[in-house]
Amino acid sequence: MTANAENNLPAIRQTQVFNAPIDKVWDAVATAEGIAAWFMPNDFQPVEGHEFHLEAGPFGKSPCKVTEINPPTGLSFRWGQDWTLSFELKDLGGKTEFTLIHSGWDPEKVTEFGETHRVVRERMSQGWVGLVQKLAGYVEGGA
């Protein structure tokens, strides 16, 4: 397969600074309760190798596996058959720079549900905008 620009599907990457300390943001992205508050119900545990599921509504239980845990600055997990989701945190002295990276997009592949990565990536890119805003509200609010 050639690696020309039209066929490459770059990772979805979003960075935002939250007005919240890094420990609070870490709890929001590295605990089952925190992830459920802004993303999806789940049985996540912050343990490398832990297999868990995201409750993806009409798409059912989506299998995942923790691939990296580095408290409180980063974690990654495999999501479904092709994707990796990573959360990177940087302490800004009372504030936290949060970066979400959703990688594993391949224009030649389709999801378990028969949709092309190209179509799903566009939808998820838009969806992550709202989810990162929801995360911001969660960590910056009284939660």
Side-chain angles (χ1 to χ4, degrees):
M1 184 165 87
T2 60
N4 66 38
E6 342 180 312
N7 283 337
N8 271 351
L9 292 179
I12 296 169
R13 178 180 290 265
Q14 292 189 17
T15 299
Q16 186 168 333
V17 174
F18 298 144
N19 188 20
I22 194 168
D23 291 339
K24 187 169 189 180
V25 179
W26 178 255
D27 286 347
V29 301
T31 65
E33 300 78 17
I35 294 168
W38 65 275
F39 187 28
M40 289 185 217
N42 64 89
D43 55 353
F44 176 86
Q45 289 181 22
V47 176
E48 194 168 313
H50 175 69
E51 295 184 13
F52 67 102
H53 290 88
L54 291 170
E55 300 285 344
F59 297 105
K61 289 182 178 228
S62 194
C64 300
K65 183 176 182 177
V66 179
T67 56
E68 180 184 344
I69 285 285
N70 188 18
T73 58
L75 72 91
S76 295
F77 60 86
R78 295 283 301 157
W79 181 14
Q81 63 186 11
D82 298 313
W83 300 320
T84 297
L85 200 56
S86 300
F87 304 138
E88 297 176 353
L89 288 69
K90 184 192 287 184
D91 188 346
L92 300 179
K95 295 185 178 186
T96 305
E97 181 181 279
F98 171 79
T99 301
L100 172 141
I101 304 163
H102 186 166
S103 60
W105 302 102
D106 182 338
E108 306 300 318
K109 290 187 177 181
V110 295
T111 68
E112 298 93 313
F113 304 101
E115 293 183 296
T116 67
H117 276 208
R118 194 175 300 278
V119 167
V120 175
R121 185 192 177 282
E122 184 59 32
R123 186 181 319 130
M124 287 198 166
S125 184
Q126 297 304 311
W128 280 122
V129 172
L131 285 166
V132 170
Q133 289 304 312
K134 192 172 177 184
L135 173 59
Y138 178 70
V139 298
E140 292 177 351

